[in-house]
Amino acid sequence: MQEMNNAVRAVALPPGASIAPLYPGSHLADAYAVDLPTAQARQMDMESLARILLGSQPGWARKLMVVRDAIVARFGIRTARQMEARPGKRIGIFRIFAVSDDEIIVGEDDSHLDFRLSVLRHRDAGPHGSITMSSVVHCHNAVGRAYILVIRPFHKLIVQRSLARAVKGGFA
């Protein structure tokens, strides 16, 4: 029997992710994985899994978003409220670009950068499968590069903590 690893771990960018063609030339590209805690999580649809993961952000991350919005509005970058109000199917601030049986791609395009997040399920990894969250950012200008420089450490923490919180909650 395979052993489950509850720890969030940094992993190589998955070549099988739909966003793999975006890896070259990116200003930020990372991936983190965690084993799914239950057989039920292996069977969930990808939109539901993504909603749990993206909704599992710690309180301090939500507070940081308020600070972010107060700062970026001065530079013509969309705030969270503006992104959530944009048309199309969304999960919070992110537009859903594609959904398949084992992957969902969300993200946003803005004047300063384009962001994509892949949530990729590997049904045969670990006892119940695993999830890899991969992020790719392409900056368009100096504002985008400065933005990534500032948010990079927070991005990594938020992704890691969101994965850990979802596992702890059993993806329920």
Side-chain angles (χ1 to χ4, degrees):
M1 179 173 206
Q2 293 179 334
E3 188 176 320
M4 189 168 90
N5 181 357
N6 286 333
V8 176
R9 54 206 179 272
V11 296
L13 294 168
S18 297
I19 63 172
L22 302 177
Y23 299 157
S26 61
H27 293 89
L28 180 147
D30 60 17
Y32 295 90
V34 69
D35 288 348
L36 289 169
T38 66
Q40 179 187 1
R42 181 186 357 214
Q43 302 306 321
M44 292 176 74
D45 67 272
M46 291 308 297
E47 190 174 330
S48 295
L49 276 174
R51 286 188 188 284
I52 291 168
L53 285 167
L54 297 173
S56 294
Q57 294 185 2
W60 58 263
R62 290 188 294 275
K63 290 176 184 169
L64 276 176
M65 186 62 86
V66 172
V67 172
R68 173 219 177 260
D69 286 350
I71 295 168
V72 301
R74 299 169 193 230
F75 294 95
I77 297 172
R78 289 186 191 103
T79 64
R81 181 172 288 161
Q82 290 169 325
M83 287 187 283
E84 288 171 348
R86 294 188 75 193
K89 191 153 185 178
R90 306 186 78 74
I91 295 177
I93 64 172
F94 301 120
R95 176 179 154 206
I96 298 174
F97 282 90
V99 183
S100 68
D101 287 344
D102 287 312
E103 185 178 30
I104 184 168
I105 307 297
V106 299
E108 196 58 62
D109 296 336
D110 208 337
S111 60
H112 64 305
L113 59 77
D114 294 342
F115 170 76
R116 294 294 181 277
L117 174 72
S118 162
V119 178
L120 181 64
R121 176 174 43 208
H122 310 278
R123 290 181 192 253
D124 54 357
H128 305 297
S130 70
I131 288 287
T132 301
M133 285 181 67
S134 309
S135 304
V136 177
V137 176
H138 284 271
C139 298
H140 300 304
N141 52 37
V143 172
R145 289 185 294 279
Y147 179 84
I148 286 303
L149 185 67
V150 171
I151 67 109
R152 180 183 307 264
F154 301 108
H155 159 81
K156 291 180 181 220
L157 278 174
I158 290 168
V159 170
Q160 292 170 340
R161 296 285 157 54
S162 295
L163 280 166
R165 288 168 62 95
V167 167
K168 187 176 180 181
F171 278 83

